[in-house]
Amino acid sequence: MEVPNISSMLLLLFCALSIADGGSVGVNYGRVANNLPSATKVVDLLKSQGVDRVKVYDTDPAVLKALSGSGIKVTVNLPNELLSSAARRPSFAYSWVMKNVVAYHPSTVVEAIAVGNEVFVDTHNTTRYLIPAMYNVQKALVKYNLEKVIKVSSPIALSALQNSYPSSAGSFRPDLVETVFKPMLEFLRQTGSSLMINVYPFFAYESNADVISLDYALFRENPGVVDAGNGLRYFSLFDAQIDAVFAAMSALKYDEVPIIVSETGWPSKGDSNEVGASVENAAAYNGNLVRRVLAGGGTPLRPHANLTAFLFALFNENKKPGPTSERNFGLFYPNEKKVYDIPLTAEGLKSYRDIQSPVTGGEQRVSTANGQTWCVAKEEAGKDKLQAGLDYACGEGGADCHPIQPGSTCFDPNTVEAHASFAFNSYYQKKGRAIGTCYFGGAAYIVTQQPSEYPNLFSH
């Protein structure tokens, strides 16, 4: 396969298109605080950052009015305390949908209704109301002819899983399977909706920092973790956690139901026992997550399904109870200043790099006992992603790709994977093996032994 010989401008266009065709990033706009800017200012902030999706935890009229005409898609929430009313009385669900959705849509673009939030961990025992409430809200949307444009789901916490490690062993809690998950997944299948899940690698890392690599939790270069159950190699805890849910769904024969990551994030500050909570780690996780999602592609278990993920949260919320971390998940301070600088759009990603903490000596480099590492293509990334990375490395990236041109010494083997490995490694070595230079949208990873798959390929 020839390495395309096109201009830098075309390469830039190709890279931009490949990212733009990827997944979608939104932000959770929580308001458990007494010092936040007005809803109008918040919408201006969202627009200035290029955010086109937002999720809220109620249906506050000021917020929904402020979003009117903005083009920002919003997921609204029917809170847990209203579940019993919505479940018991269809008339309540009709009235709620009319007052909180129909009254604003389509000027305010409501794209989904989250019925409840992490209901299974709600101390008020509202689980039994969830499925009837979802059905009644759906019936209300049908009544108002909105069922095709507004989807109904319910965000679940990963504590709904009985098993989550390894990913292939993912399973739902037995007490929830028949009563909740089978009817919920059937509902989602019938309505064409997605299962909403809240995914927090931070909490898993905080509790298991002695066995979970920080690089693995932050989407940084790492050797990966092989799932002994399915043989797949994972390069991020985020993907592994999502696939645990996919495996649990598959066990119930609901393989085709998509997933939306309704919350994910990392705190910029925590108590002394909250391992990993820092500005540097929060910036790395959220910045790399944006790159991971917008680059496109799914998880190792479902590689072709783009992801939608909502970052938690827009602001630090000073009235949230619990440990210090709970009040420090925000991308912004209440005065609208950034807690740390990361892009939220494909355009911003063009100049973004995951910068290590200055405390560690600035830009880190991957090192081993003998000091040598290589960057190689990840076969399971697929040809399209490998080709996009190859085009970037040989074009804008400035890698030396002459040896893999037709007739040159490293043209054979003539496969996109072999050529991508050569180009990725050339770029990686040129950049001094700096952290963040062996990523290529998730299509590459670092190895500590010289690759032997391609004779002489890495000796040029």
Side-chain angles (χ1 to χ4, degrees), residues 55-132:
K55 180 170 154 283
V56 295
Y57 293 88
D58 51 22
T59 51
D60 184 89
V63 173
L64 295 180
K65 287 177 184 176
L67 286 164
S68 178
S70 68
I72 297 172
K73 297 175 183 177
V74 59
T75 296
V76 298
N77 178 244
L78 187 151
N80 291 351
E81 55 266 27
L82 298 182
L83 285 177
S84 61
S85 297
R88 289 168 170 164
R89 293 186 285 129
S91 60
F92 177 89
Y94 293 162
S95 175
W96 186 90
V97 169
M98 167 56 85
K99 179 182 176 182
N100 298 292
V101 178
V102 178
Y104 300 97
H105 186 85
S107 294
T108 297
V109 187
V110 180
E111 67 170 343
I113 300 172
V115 177
N117 185 58
E118 298 191 342
V119 173
F120 314 137
V121 295
D122 184 359
T123 56
H124 296 94
N125 192 27
T126 51
T127 297
R128 65 186 183 276
Y129 301 122
L130 178 58
I131 302 303

XYZ file of all heavy atoms in Angstrom, residues 55-132:
599
model
N -25.645 18.432 29.587
C -26.584 17.620 30.375
C -26.818 18.334 31.699
O -25.871 18.767 32.353
C -26.012 16.219 30.595
C -26.883 15.272 31.397
C -26.309 13.855 31.324
C -26.688 13.023 32.536
N -25.888 13.365 33.724
N -28.102 18.458 32.079
C -28.450 19.130 33.326
C -29.164 18.138 34.239
O -29.559 17.048 33.809
C -29.331 20.374 33.076
C -28.549 21.430 32.300
C -30.606 20.012 32.314
N -29.327 18.511 35.496
C -29.856 17.588 36.498
C -31.267 17.951 36.951
O -31.746 17.468 37.967
C -28.904 17.527 37.692
C -27.584 16.880 37.318
C -26.533 17.636 36.809
C -27.406 15.504 37.428
C -25.341 17.050 36.436
C -26.219 14.900 37.056
C -25.188 15.677 36.566
O -24.005 15.086 36.179
N -31.929 18.807 36.167
C -33.308 19.185 36.464
C -33.890 19.805 35.193
O -33.395 19.519 34.092
C -33.370 20.170 37.641
C -32.435 21.377 37.466
O -32.071 21.693 36.310
O -32.074 22.006 38.485
N -34.901 20.639 35.351
C -35.465 21.347 34.193
C -35.696 22.806 34.574
O -36.759 23.365 34.355
C -36.799 20.695 33.752
O -37.656 20.562 34.907
C -36.564 19.333 33.126
N -34.677 23.414 35.157
C -34.795 24.795 35.615
C -35.166 25.717 34.447
O -34.467 25.740 33.426
C -33.468 25.248 36.222
C -33.562 26.636 36.804
O -33.917 26.766 37.983
O -33.286 27.605 36.063
N -36.272 26.468 34.571
C -36.719 27.318 33.455
C -35.666 28.327 32.999
O -35.537 28.582 31.797
C -37.952 28.038 34.033
C -38.444 27.130 35.115
C -37.215 26.512 35.712
N -34.910 28.885 33.941
C -33.890 29.874 33.565
C -32.842 29.247 32.650
O -32.385 29.875 31.679
C -33.229 30.449 34.815
N -32.453 28.007 32.948
C -31.451 27.316 32.133
C -32.016 26.972 30.762
O -31.385 27.216 29.727
C -30.968 26.034 32.853
C -30.056 25.222 31.938
C -30.247 26.398 34.140
N -33.221 26.414 30.730
C -33.812 26.009 29.456
C -34.100 27.225 28.567
O -33.943 27.157 27.343
C -35.082 25.198 29.696
C -34.854 23.854 30.399
C -36.166 23.117 30.601
C -33.881 22.981 29.616
N -34.503 28.340 29.171
C -34.724 29.562 28.391
C -33.403 30.108 27.856
O -33.330 30.580 26.715
C -35.412 30.612 29.259
C -36.872 30.327 29.533
C -37.466 31.381 30.469
C -38.911 31.054 30.821
N -39.458 32.021 31.819
N -32.355 30.065 28.684
C -31.044 30.573 28.249
C -30.502 29.769 27.073
O -29.804 30.312 26.208
C -30.061 30.548 29.408
N -30.812 28.483 27.033
C -30.329 27.622 25.956
C -31.114 27.806 24.661
O -30.678 27.356 23.596
C -30.404 26.153 26.380
C -29.340 25.694 27.388
C -29.738 24.367 28.026
C -27.983 25.572 26.715
N -32.241 28.475 24.720
C -33.081 28.675 23.544
C -32.326 29.405 22.443
O -31.701 30.442 22.691
C -34.332 29.466 23.930
O -35.129 29.717 22.798
N -32.365 28.848 21.260
C -31.719 29.475 20.109
C -30.226 29.285 20.036
O -29.585 29.736 19.083
N -29.638 28.608 21.019
C -28.182 28.426 21.047
C -27.712 27.300 20.137
O -26.544 27.258 19.749
C -27.712 28.128 22.478
O -28.188 26.846 22.899
N -28.612 26.372 19.820
C -28.229 25.192 19.035
C -27.567 24.112 19.870
O -27.243 23.040 19.356
N -27.364 24.372 21.147
C -26.751 23.383 22.040
C -27.785 22.325 22.395
O -28.877 22.646 22.863
C -26.209 24.061 23.318
C -25.101 25.055 22.971
C -25.703 23.020 24.307
C -24.640 25.901 24.143
N -27.455 21.075 22.172
C -28.360 19.977 22.499
C -28.311 19.719 24.005
O -27.235 19.695 24.600
C -27.951 18.709 21.745
C -28.039 18.857 20.228
C -27.503 17.618 19.533
C -27.527 17.792 18.021
N -26.941 16.618 17.323
N -29.485 19.506 24.598
C -29.535 19.354 26.047
C -30.235 18.056 26.437
O -31.214 17.652 25.823
C -30.228 20.569 26.708
C -31.645 20.750 26.197
C -30.227 20.442 28.227
N -29.674 17.399 27.436
C -30.319 16.263 28.095
C -30.851 16.765 29.422
O -30.085 17.267 30.251
C -29.318 15.119 28.333
O -28.861 14.617 27.077
C -29.974 13.975 29.110
N -32.170 16.672 29.606
C -32.789 17.127 30.848
C -33.015 15.927 31.759
O -32.929 14.777 31.336
C -34.119 17.867 30.585
C -33.876 19.114 29.743
C -35.135 16.951 29.913
N -33.328 16.217 33.023
C -33.446 15.144 34.010
C -34.773 15.225 34.757
O -35.166 16.294 35.224
C -32.275 15.218 34.999
C -32.347 14.159 36.090
O -32.475 14.472 37.258
N -32.264 12.901 35.713
N -35.441 14.087 34.850
C -36.550 13.935 35.772
C -35.954 13.356 37.046
O -35.508 12.208 37.049
C -37.629 13.009 35.190
C -38.928 12.885 35.990
C -40.100 12.596 35.057
C -38.856 11.801 37.055
N -35.880 14.143 38.121
C -35.107 13.728 39.299
C -35.722 12.550 40.048
O -36.911 12.245 39.910
C -35.083 14.988 40.163
C -36.218 15.817 39.685
C -36.424 15.501 38.253
N -34.888 11.900 40.840
C -35.298 10.695 41.561
C -36.542 10.912 42.418
O -37.382 10.021 42.545
C -34.166 10.189 42.458
C -33.007 9.637 41.650
O -33.098 9.473 40.443
N -31.901 9.338 42.325
N -36.686 12.101 43.004
C -37.820 12.334 43.906
C -39.165 12.384 43.176
O -40.225 12.336 43.816
C -37.613 13.613 44.714
C -37.362 14.859 43.899
C -35.876 15.155 43.714
O -35.076 14.196 43.742
O -35.538 16.339 43.552
N -39.121 12.474 41.842
C -40.371 12.478 41.075
C -40.670 11.129 40.422
O -41.688 10.986 39.741
C -40.318 13.564 39.993
C -40.176 15.013 40.481
C -40.187 15.974 39.300
C -41.276 15.363 41.479
N -39.787 10.152 40.620
C -39.975 8.859 39.962
C -41.282 8.186 40.354
O -41.988 7.632 39.505
C -38.800 7.924 40.272
C -37.476 8.206 39.553
C -36.407 7.226 40.031
C -37.645 8.102 38.048
N -41.605 8.202 41.643
C -42.821 7.502 42.082
C -44.072 8.115 41.458
O -44.977 7.400 41.022
C -42.931 7.510 43.612
O -42.996 8.832 44.107
N -44.105 9.444 41.375
C -45.262 10.112 40.758
C -45.360 9.788 39.274
O -46.441 9.506 38.750
C -45.169 11.626 40.957
O -45.210 11.968 42.326
N -44.197 9.828 38.585
C -44.197 9.535 37.142
C -44.548 8.082 36.877
O -45.132 7.757 35.836
C -42.826 9.864 36.553
N -44.193 7.192 37.809
C -44.479 5.764 37.630
C -45.941 5.452 37.898
O -46.559 4.643 37.197
C -43.593 4.938 38.562
N -46.506 6.073 38.907
C -47.866 5.738 39.335
C -48.934 6.397 38.489
O -50.030 5.858 38.332
C -48.051 6.148 40.804
C -47.278 5.283 41.793
C -47.272 5.909 43.164
N -46.740 5.006 44.183
C -46.343 5.398 45.390
N -46.394 6.679 45.711
N -45.885 4.518 46.259
N -48.632 7.592 37.965
C -49.675 8.341 37.267
C -49.193 8.793 35.887
O -48.392 9.728 35.785
C -50.073 9.565 38.093
C -50.778 9.204 39.396
C -51.273 10.442 40.108
N -50.196 11.188 40.763
C -49.990 12.481 40.618
N -50.740 13.195 39.810
N -48.994 13.076 41.264
N -49.694 8.143 34.833
C -49.336 8.605 33.479
C -49.656 10.084 33.283
O -48.935 10.789 32.568
C -50.202 7.725 32.583
C -50.426 6.483 33.383
C -50.526 6.935 34.803
N -50.717 10.572 33.931
C -51.085 11.980 33.770
C -49.991 12.902 34.302
O -49.760 13.994 33.766
C -52.399 12.275 34.503
O -52.262 12.000 35.895
N -49.290 12.470 35.358
C -48.178 13.261 35.889
C -47.051 13.326 34.856
O -46.472 14.395 34.634
C -47.657 12.658 37.192
C -46.465 13.397 37.762
C -46.648 14.455 38.639
C -45.164 13.059 37.405
C -45.562 15.151 39.156
C -44.068 13.747 37.905
C -44.279 14.795 38.785
N -46.729 12.184 34.251
C -45.663 12.150 33.236
C -46.019 13.035 32.045
O -45.172 13.774 31.525
C -45.423 10.714 32.780
N -47.297 12.993 31.613
C -47.730 13.842 30.497
C -47.558 15.311 30.853
O -47.050 16.116 30.058
C -49.199 13.577 30.155
C -49.486 12.211 29.589
C -50.776 11.705 29.584
C -48.471 11.409 29.049
C -51.066 10.445 29.063
C -48.740 10.154 28.533
C -50.038 9.674 28.546
O -50.315 8.436 28.033
N -47.996 15.673 32.066
C -47.902 17.058 32.506
C -46.445 17.501 32.622
O -46.089 18.623 32.212
C -48.610 17.216 33.855
O -48.431 18.518 34.362
N -45.608 16.627 33.164
C -44.194 16.967 33.328
C -43.525 17.188 31.974
O -42.778 18.156 31.785
C -43.472 15.855 34.100
C -42.045 16.194 34.440
C -41.597 16.818 35.562
C -40.889 15.941 33.626
N -40.229 16.982 35.510
C -39.762 16.453 34.340
C -40.687 15.340 32.395
C -38.469 16.377 33.833
C -39.399 15.271 31.883
C -38.298 15.780 32.599
N -43.796 16.301 31.015
C -43.201 16.440 29.684
C -43.709 17.712 29.000
O -42.936 18.443 28.361
C -43.487 15.192 28.827
C -43.114 15.434 27.364
C -42.708 13.992 29.370
N -44.986 18.007 29.146
C -45.528 19.225 28.537
C -44.870 20.474 29.122
O -44.414 21.361 28.394
C -47.047 19.279 28.759
C -47.671 20.648 28.447
S -47.344 21.233 26.753
C -48.681 20.404 25.895
N -44.771 20.517 30.456
C -44.262 21.710 31.131
C -42.761 21.898 30.949
O -42.281 23.034 30.839
C -44.591 21.614 32.625
C -44.085 22.784 33.453
C -44.407 22.585 34.931
C -43.834 23.702 35.790
N -44.099 23.493 37.231
N -42.002 20.784 30.921
C -40.543 20.872 30.974
C -39.829 20.547 29.671
O -38.621 20.749 29.565
C -40.015 19.944 32.069
C -40.527 20.339 33.439
O -40.164 21.383 33.965
N -41.397 19.516 34.008
N -40.554 20.025 28.691
C -39.935 19.674 27.417
C -40.658 20.342 26.251
O -40.084 21.142 25.512
C -39.908 18.137 27.219
C -39.307 17.788 25.851
C -39.112 17.465 28.326
N -41.943 20.040 26.106
C -42.707 20.579 24.978
C -42.719 22.099 24.994
O -42.649 22.748 23.944
C -44.156 20.028 24.999
C -44.980 20.622 23.850
C -44.154 18.510 24.922
N -42.770 22.681 26.178
C -42.834 24.142 26.293
C -41.579 24.836 25.774
O -41.624 26.028 25.440
C -43.065 24.528 27.759
N -40.480 24.111 25.653
C -39.205 24.719 25.233
C -38.711 24.216 23.875
O -38.029 24.939 23.158
C -38.127 24.451 26.292
C -38.453 25.015 27.636
C -39.017 24.219 28.629
C -38.220 26.362 27.927
C -39.332 24.742 29.875
C -38.524 26.889 29.167
C -39.084 26.077 30.141
O -39.400 26.596 31.362
N -39.010 22.981 23.561
C -38.524 22.357 22.330
C -39.384 22.811 21.148
O -40.589 22.918 21.287
C -38.597 20.828 22.483
C -37.992 20.074 21.349
N -36.645 19.787 21.271
C -38.545 19.561 20.221
C -36.408 19.118 20.161
N -37.542 18.969 19.518
N -38.824 23.113 19.962
C -37.436 22.873 19.557
C -36.509 24.081 19.679
O -35.349 23.967 19.319
C -37.595 22.486 18.086
C -38.740 23.324 17.615
C -39.687 23.404 18.798
N -37.004 25.235 20.150
C -36.092 26.380 20.303
C -34.925 26.011 21.213
O -33.771 26.345 20.945
C -36.844 27.579 20.871
O -37.807 28.039 19.951
N -35.250 25.328 22.293
C -34.237 24.678 23.116
C -34.201 23.223 22.662
O -35.205 22.517 22.771
C -34.590 24.765 24.605
O -34.614 26.147 24.993
C -33.577 24.022 25.455
N -33.068 22.801 22.156
C -32.987 21.489 21.500
C -32.823 20.385 22.547
O -31.698 20.037 22.933
C -31.815 21.443 20.489
C -31.855 20.125 19.702
C -31.877 22.630 19.544
N -33.933 19.854 23.009
C -33.887 18.742 23.953
C -33.681 17.455 23.152
O -34.473 17.122 22.281
C -35.189 18.654 24.772
C -35.119 17.479 25.745
C -35.434 19.962 25.522
N -32.578 16.747 23.440
C -32.305 15.518 22.700
C -32.561 14.260 23.522
O -32.668 13.167 22.964
C -30.877 15.491 22.162
C -29.785 15.403 23.203
C -28.416 15.147 22.585
O -28.344 14.716 21.416
O -27.410 15.384 23.279
N -32.637 14.402 24.843
C -32.846 13.218 25.672
C -33.410 13.615 27.026
O -33.242 14.744 27.492
C -31.534 12.449 25.856
N -34.088 12.646 27.636
C -34.565 12.788 29.006
C -33.931 11.686 29.841
O -34.095 10.499 29.538
C -36.099 12.682 29.094
C -36.769 13.784 28.264
C -36.563 12.758 30.558
C -38.281 13.630 28.150
N -33.185 12.083 30.849
C -32.630 11.122 31.795
C -33.643 10.953 32.917
O -33.909 11.889 33.671
C -31.293 11.620 32.337
N -34.221 9.773 32.998
C -35.224 9.492 34.025
C -34.485 8.977 35.264
O -33.960 7.866 35.273
C -36.256 8.469 33.527
C -37.249 8.121 34.632
C -36.991 9.018 32.305
N -34.410 9.812 36.287
C -33.640 9.460 37.466
C -32.149 9.598 37.220
O -31.704 9.895 36.104
N -31.369 9.377 38.275
C -29.917 9.429 38.161
C -29.306 8.497 39.205
O -29.550 8.667 40.409
C -29.399 10.851 38.392
C -27.901 10.960 38.162
O -27.413 10.656 37.077
N -27.167 11.377 39.186
N -28.553 7.497 38.731
C -27.941 6.508 39.630
C -28.965 6.015 40.655
O -28.723 6.004 41.866
C -26.695 7.098 40.302
C -25.604 7.466 39.302
C -24.268 7.789 39.964
O -24.250 8.052 41.185
O -23.234 7.753 39.257
N -30.109 5.580 40.135
C -31.246 5.213 40.984
C -30.910 4.080 41.948
O -31.377 4.052 43.091
C -32.457 4.830 40.099
C -33.598 4.272 40.942
C -32.932 6.051 39.317
N -30.062 3.142 41.514
C -29.804 1.960 42.349
C -29.020 2.276 43.615
O -28.981 1.474 44.539
C -29.066 0.882 41.539
C -29.669 0.651 40.185
C -28.857 0.496 39.074
C -31.043 0.600 40.006
C -29.404 0.292 37.816
C -31.606 0.402 38.754
C -30.782 0.254 37.656
N -28.372 3.441 43.642
C -27.663 3.837 44.869
C -28.427 4.920 45.623
O -27.927 5.468 46.608
C -26.227 4.323 44.556
C -25.403 3.191 44.001
C -26.246 5.511 43.595
N -29.649 5.213 45.178
C -30.490 6.202 45.853
C -30.973 5.622 47.183
O -31.577 4.548 47.223
C -31.689 6.548 44.955
C -32.565 7.643 45.544
O -32.251 8.119 46.654
O -33.553 8.015 44.893
N -30.728 6.326 48.270
C -31.091 5.820 49.601
C -32.597 5.808 49.830
O -33.066 5.232 50.820
C -30.424 6.682 50.690
O -30.809 8.053 50.502
C -28.911 6.564 50.630
N -33.358 6.425 48.945
C -34.812 6.483 49.124
C -35.530 5.323 48.447
O -36.764 5.350 48.303
C -35.350 7.823 48.608
C -34.839 9.002 49.372
N -33.732 9.725 48.969
C -35.261 9.573 50.530
C -33.508 10.696 49.827
N -34.415 10.629 50.791
N -34.771 4.315 48.001
C -35.363 3.080 47.481
C -36.369 3.348 46.348
O -37.537 2.959 46.424
C -36.026 2.286 48.610
C -36.382 0.869 48.178
O -35.752 0.308 47.293
N -37.403 0.298 48.808
N -35.884 4.017 45.307
C -36.759 4.374 44.185
C -36.624 3.422 42.995
O -37.252 3.645 41.961
C -36.448 5.811 43.719
O -35.032 5.929 43.494
C -36.857 6.832 44.760
N -35.827 2.371 43.148
C -35.557 1.477 42.017
C -36.834 0.909 41.416
O -36.965 0.813 40.189
C -34.626 0.325 42.452
O -33.379 0.878 42.865
C -34.385 -0.648 41.318
N -37.795 0.544 42.255
C -38.996 -0.111 41.745
C -39.846 0.801 40.855
O -40.717 0.337 40.121
C -39.838 -0.645 42.903
C -40.411 0.415 43.828
C -41.115 -0.259 45.023
N -41.759 0.688 45.933
C -41.131 1.326 46.900
N -39.811 1.147 47.059
N -41.783 2.143 47.701
N -39.609 2.104 40.941
C -40.389 3.042 40.137
C -39.746 3.347 38.783
O -40.373 3.968 37.924
C -40.566 4.366 40.896
C -41.252 4.239 42.222
C -40.613 4.662 43.391
C -42.532 3.697 42.320
C -41.242 4.552 44.629
C -43.168 3.590 43.555
C -42.514 4.009 44.699
O -43.131 3.891 45.920
N -38.491 2.953 38.605
C -37.733 3.411 37.438
C -38.356 2.991 36.114
O -38.617 3.838 35.245
C -36.281 2.914 37.519
C -35.398 3.279 36.325
C -35.340 4.789 36.133
C -33.992 2.709 36.502
N -38.575 1.700 35.922
C -39.064 1.225 34.623
C -40.457 1.769 34.304
O -40.686 2.285 33.194
C -39.032 -0.320 34.562
C -37.608 -0.831 34.820
C -39.529 -0.806 33.199
C -36.554 -0.284 33.889
N -41.423 1.718 35.218
C -42.721 2.322 34.913
C -42.630 3.807 34.579
O -43.341 4.301 33.696
C -43.531 2.088 36.195
C -42.876 0.949 36.872
C -41.429 1.054 36.530
